[in-house]
Amino acid sequence: MPDKNQTDSHAESPRPSPLHATHEKLGATFTDFAGWQMPVRYSSDLAEHKAVRASAGIFDISHMAEFTVTGTEAGEFLDVALAGRLSALKVGRAKYSLLLTETGGVIDDVIVYRLRDDEYLIISNAANRDAARSALQDRTQEFDVGVSDVSDDYALIAVQGPHAEKILSSTSGITDLTTPWDEQRYFAWASASFDGAPLLLARTGYTGEDGFELLVPAARATALWAAVSTAGDPYELVPAGLAARDSLRLEAGMPLYGHELSRDTKPAQAGLGRVVVTAKERFVGQRHVEPAADARVLVGLTSEGRRAGRAGYPVIAGDSEVGTVTSGILSPTLGHPIAMAFVDPTHSDPGTELDIDVRGKRIPATVTTLPFYSRKK
């Protein structure tokens, strides 16, 4: 599922998650994230990251925004409003898509779920809640649809890792599941109940691991977190914060809005050209969605040693700056530095040797295909 690192205009001071009291009891360290006071870590970034790769982690992602699109022309509307062909999406399935500007840049990356023939759910990034809502509502004028912002009604909890399915299938209180656990496919969803409240379970995530995202009424979030945590004890489930979520998504080569995506970025530059269905009759941004031939493109960079390139660090070839790092870390899983960067297309081929300027010291780096890490199936 997509994420953010910008400030939401919704609140002058950080707003608490429905799970804030739970995080305090767990000893979380908090940060202002997209206008929310969210847990950045509970123990250590490294321990939480490794737990998700080896067993499972539970994340509070209630800062994400949710919109419903309803009406007889909901599918046709989304075909125009978004870059993908959402009218072809089957009920019970989900699809990653992009909300574009008129000039083909990215307002937000979203996941769309088809709930019924005439109803869709869109999960958007927290910092773009206002922008996404405004863009969607502005595009409804020709269609028999309504767009509703239901973000404040729900909490969103992610359970990610190789033991996620085992944990959730043994969680007390989850009943009335419409699809058996072992039949739930990636980028699909099932409905269920939790202690009598509606629950949507989506096999999606932002970590590169198997896992689920659980949408539940905000008033039931604390009880659901507790039930999942209890079921996860035998599987070494750990609470994980935003720092681990960021390092996990970077290893998996997943873009972060404000780093790899922006209004100045065309989808194809970020390796997301496949998301755009150019064969559609029309969609917002269609006329300008193709980048210029010399536009920088997103690549992976790997290095040796311990010093990692960070966002904003220059990428060098010879005596010339040919790119900029957008995200970088010392990979906890791989044990060496990794980064994503936009570079000139003439220096984007896998195997190309470049340098990253890390605080005045040139660190050799090699262009590689993304992702850096793929889980074993």
Side-chain angles (χ1 to χ4, degrees):
M1 187 166 289
D3 217 327
K4 286 293 182 290
N5 70 336
Q6 301 176 357
T7 301
D8 190 353
S9 62
H10 258 69
E12 294 182 0
S13 58
R15 62 180 294 185
S17 154
L19 289 157
H20 187 80
T22 295
H23 304 318
E24 286 186 319
K25 291 178 182 178
L26 291 169
T29 299
F30 292 93
T31 188
D32 181 352
F33 189 87
W36 291 74
Q37 191 173 20
M38 298 299 293
V40 67
R41 69 183 58 83
Y42 301 84
S43 55
S44 78
D45 303 347
L46 182 63
E48 292 167 20
H49 179 111
K50 289 188 172 182
V52 174
R53 290 279 183 251
S55 52
I58 182 170
F59 300 81
D60 179 9
I61 52 174
S62 300
H63 58 294
M64 305 294 282
E66 292 85 31
F67 307 98
T68 56
V69 178
T70 56
T72 57
E73 296 180 326
E76 293 82 352
F77 159 70
L78 289 173
D79 283 350
V80 173
L82 300 178
R85 195 184 297 279
L86 285 309
S87 62
L89 188 64
K90 295 181 179 180
V91 174
R93 301 291 291 172
K95 192 176 187 68
Y96 178 82
S97 195
L98 298 169
L99 183 65
L100 302 181
T101 66
E102 292 283 357
T103 55
V106 180
I107 296 173
D108 203 7
D109 59 333
V110 300
I111 296 182
V112 183
Y113 305 79
R114 191 162 196 171
L115 304 182
R116 299 174 184 84
D117 287 343
D118 61 353
E119 183 177 7
Y120 293 75
L121 172 71
I122 299 175
I123 296 188
S124 170
N125 291 296
N128 283 344
R129 176 179 172 181
D130 291 344
R133 180 181 61 245
S134 178
L136 289 167
Q137 290 178 340
D138 287 348
R139 298 171 189 185
T140 63
Q141 297 177 6
E142 301 176 36
F143 299 93
D144 180 20
V145 295
V147 174
S148 298
D149 185 342
V150 296
S151 308
D152 296 335
D153 298 336
Y154 294 99
L156 194 60
I157 295 171
V159 182
Q160 301 283 300
H163 292 152
E165 181 184 313
K166 294 178 182 178
I167 291 167
L168 290 175
S169 65
S170 61
T171 297
S172 177
I174 296 180
T175 58
D176 305 322
L177 191 63
T178 55
T179 304
W181 289 103
D182 59 356
E183 294 180 15
Q184 293 187 34
R185 300 165 61 190
Y186 189 52
F187 265 73
W189 63 270
S191 62
S193 298
F194 175 71
D195 286 348
L199 176 66
L200 185 146
L201 293 146
R203 199 159 205 156
T204 50
Y206 195 52
T207 64
E209 294 296 336
D210 186 23
F212 295 82
E213 294 175 321
L214 290 70
L215 188 72
V216 67
R220 300 299 181 94
T222 299
L224 178 60
W225 180 286
V228 173
S229 297
T230 297
D233 281 344
Y235 300 100
E236 300 181 335
L237 175 72
V238 304
L242 294 178
R245 183 170 161 85
D246 187 51
S247 57
L248 290 159
R249 70 92 193 167
L250 178 49
E251 288 185 345
M254 295 178 171
L256 174 65
Y257 196 92
H259 287 245
E260 290 74 43
L261 299 175
S262 74
R263 289 173 179 257
D264 297 322
T265 307
K266 304 294 178 71
Q269 290 179 261
L272 297 175
R274 67 189 184 282
V275 178
V276 182
V277 181
T278 55
K280 290 191 297 182
E281 180 179 350
R282 64 187 177 110
F283 61 92
V284 175
Q286 184 176 26
R287 293 179 58 190
H288 304 285
V289 74
E290 293 300 326
D294 61 350
R296 288 180 171 176
V297 294
L298 189 68
V299 301
L301 296 173
T302 58
S303 305
E304 297 182 355
R306 309 291 291 178
R307 301 186 70 182
R310 303 292 181 178
Y313 286 11
V315 179
I316 310 295
D319 296 326
S320 301
E321 182 176 328
V322 298
T324 304
V325 172
T326 55
S327 300
I329 56 167
L330 175 61
S331 169
T333 303
L334 305 175
H336 59 74
I338 59 174
M340 289 195 282
F342 279 105
V343 302
D344 294 342
T346 52
H347 294 85
S348 64
D349 290 340
T352 301
E353 298 294 334
L354 300 170
D355 293 316
I356 302 174
D357 184 341
V358 179
R359 298 181 180 178
K361 181 177 176 62
R362 291 174 65 143
I363 304 298
T366 303
V367 175
T368 187
T369 55
L370 295 170
F372 303 102
Y373 164 87
S374 295
R375 68 182 176 91
K376 296 179 181 178
K377 303 295 184 180

